Amino acid sequence: MTQGLLQWSPCHQYLSLSFTIPTTKHTQLPLSISATLEPATSTQQHLTARERRQLRNERRESKAGTNWKEQVEEKLLEKPTKKFANWKEELNINNLAREGPQWWIVKVSRLKGQETAQLIARLLARNYPHIDFKVYAPAIHERKKLKNGTYSVKPKPLFPGCVFIRCVLDKEIHDFIRECDGVGGFVGALVGNTKRQITRPRPVSEFDMEAIFRQAKEEQQKAEQAFEQDQQEAALNDGLNSDDAVKSTGDSKPKRRSRKTLDPLINGSSKGKNEKLVPGSSVRVVSGTFAEYVGSLKKLNRRTKKATVGFTLFGKESLVDLDVSEIVSETT
């Protein structure tokens, strides 16, 4: 019984393998198997195992287009780490107290945000005097001058519907704040599963709060500058209006003339003057309270000897009832 033989050819051009299967009574002819391998290049024959591994990795990266190691590392980084052992621990709000004092956002009414913030501060100070907390509702205090000369200060919320609270938040404080009037809950993310879900409050970073403080300060400075500019413009307008009023009063004063020209005895009989009185004509008052004033005759009643004269005073026309004997026709 012959055994299998393995023959190695020293030639570098090909590799030949030959096997001989032993013959039995059921096999009549011997069977042989041979294999031929292509020769490797001269450069690869002298490479070490480390260099060949580097070449293999380069070919792999060139086929994929990107580095497969980087893809694996990115997937590992994107995979979030589990902070809680199970879903029940994630729903426990008492775990928020481990983070220490943080800034939290409470949703309130957009119209009564300031009132709700004051209410939360009073209730926390009354029911939990041992805890340290801060309630901050950023607003711009706008000043306006009223018609009666007084000033009104009205707060304008910078973030309507939001109130910031800094405290160590646990379930007891969380539920107490939620039960206050005007509070709609905390700003956060929905956590849990199909069995139970809650809104877990999300804290605000210190960097974001510093930006909010800085923005509120800048907006307040802009509002004060705008108020000062409005005051300066109003002062200039008042000065111009007062000058115009002085000019109008000076123009409305009647022209005084000498007594010689005003005396009816010198100029002629008053009867001739009265005959020329016609509604719409210009007349002059010769006696009484409105002496020396010139106006326009509006109405004339010869039976009662009453006349209605219109005078221009301070830019407005005023009607006065006088006796016919007190007025004469003004000649141009």
Side-chain angles (χ1 to χ4, degrees):
M1 177 176 169
T2 59
Q3 298 179 354
L5 301 177
L6 178 61
Q7 296 181 359
W8 173 262
S9 176
C11 181
H12 297 285
Q13 299 297 327
Y14 62 92
L15 178 62
S16 177
L17 298 176
S18 177
F19 296 92
T20 302
I21 300 176
T23 58
T24 60
K25 62 181 180 179
H26 299 287
T27 59
Q28 300 296 330
L29 297 175
L31 299 177
S32 62
I33 299 174
S34 62
T36 304
L37 299 178
E38 293 293 334
T41 59
S42 59
T43 57
Q44 293 181 354
Q45 291 179 357
H46 301 287
L47 295 177
T48 61
R50 185 174 183 180
E51 293 174 348
R52 287 195 299 271
R53 186 165 56 251
Q54 292 178 354
L55 290 175
R56 184 169 61 252
N57 292 336
E58 291 177 358
R59 287 196 300 268
R60 184 185 299 171
E61 293 174 0
S62 62
K63 291 180 181 179
T66 55
N67 191 356
W68 61 275
K69 292 183 180 180
E70 295 179 357
Q71 293 179 354
V72 174
E73 291 177 356
E74 290 178 358
K75 291 182 179 180
L76 293 176
L77 292 174
E78 292 176 358
K79 186 178 180 181
T81 57
K82 293 184 178 181
K83 296 182 180 179
F84 308 100
N86 50 34
W87 63 275
K88 292 183 179 180
E89 186 179 357
E90 185 178 5
L91 298 179
N92 189 4
I93 300 181
N94 288 323
N95 294 327
L96 297 175
R98 301 175 183 176
E99 301 178 2
Q102 297 285 337
W103 283 100
W104 313 93
I105 303 177
V106 179
K107 294 181 289 185
V108 298
S109 174
R110 296 175 63 91
L111 300 178
K112 298 182 179 181
Q114 297 291 331
E115 298 177 2
T116 306
Q118 296 175 3
L119 176 63
I120 294 173
R122 289 198 305 268
L123 294 178
L124 286 176
R126 183 187 307 170
N127 295 276
Y128 300 95
H130 58 280
I131 66 172
D132 296 333
F133 67 91
K134 293 180 181 179
V135 180
Y136 177 59
I140 303 170
H141 299 278
E142 295 182 344
R143 292 189 299 170
K144 292 183 179 180
K145 187 176 181 180
L146 303 180
K147 292 182 179 180
N148 57 2
T150 60
Y151 295 91
S152 67
V153 181
K154 185 178 180 181
K156 180 182 178 181
L158 190 61
F159 299 98
C162 295
V163 173
F164 298 87
I165 298 179
R166 179 180 174 84
C167 64
V168 179
L169 191 66
D170 55 5
K171 183 172 177 55
E172 184 179 1
I173 303 298
H174 174 271
D175 295 343
F176 178 80
I177 295 175
R178 280 183 58 88
E179 294 298 329
C180 294
D181 294 338
V183 175
F186 285 81
V187 175
L190 193 65
V191 297
N193 53 16
T194 56
K195 295 182 180 179
R196 183 186 175 191
Q197 291 183 348
I198 65 169
T199 301
R200 183 184 179 85
R202 180 177 298 174
V204 185
S205 63
E206 294 292 339
F207 178 78
D208 294 338
M209 290 304 303
E210 291 178 359
I212 292 173
F213 295 148
R214 186 165 52 253
Q215 181 180 357
K217 185 177 180 181
E218 293 176 356
E219 293 293 336
Q220 184 64 37
Q221 292 177 354
K222 291 180 181 179
E224 292 178 356
Q225 292 177 0
F227 176 75
E228 293 177 357
Q229 291 179 359
D230 294 341
Q231 289 295 104
Q232 293 177 359
E233 293 178 358
L236 292 175
N237 293 332
D238 293 341
L240 295 176
N241 294 333
S242 61
D243 295 341
D244 295 340
V246 171
K247 291 181 180 179
S248 62
T249 54
D251 296 339
S252 63
K253 288 182 179 180
K255 297 180 180 179
R256 294 185 176 273
R257 300 190 178 183
S258 62
R259 296 291 297 179
K260 295 181 180 181
T261 58
L262 295 177
D263 193 355
L265 299 176
I266 300 177
N267 294 330
S269 65
S270 60
K271 184 176 179 181
K273 294 289 183 180
N274 292 338
E275 292 177 353
K276 297 180 181 179
L277 295 178
V278 180
S281 62
S282 179
V283 295
R284 182 175 68 255
V285 182
V286 295
S287 63
T289 307
F290 297 91
E292 308 299 331
Y293 278 78
V294 178
S296 176
L297 181 62
K298 299 297 182 182
K299 294 180 181 180
L300 178 62
N301 192 343
R302 295 185 183 276
R303 185 174 61 84
T304 59
K305 296 182 180 181
K306 294 290 183 180
T308 302
V309 183
F311 299 102
T312 304
L313 302 175
F314 303 101
K316 294 182 180 181
E317 187 177 20
S318 301
L319 300 179
V320 180
D321 293 333
L322 301 173
D323 293 333
V324 176
S325 60
E326 294 180 358
I327 61 174
V328 293
S329 177
E330 178 73 11
T331 58
T332 57

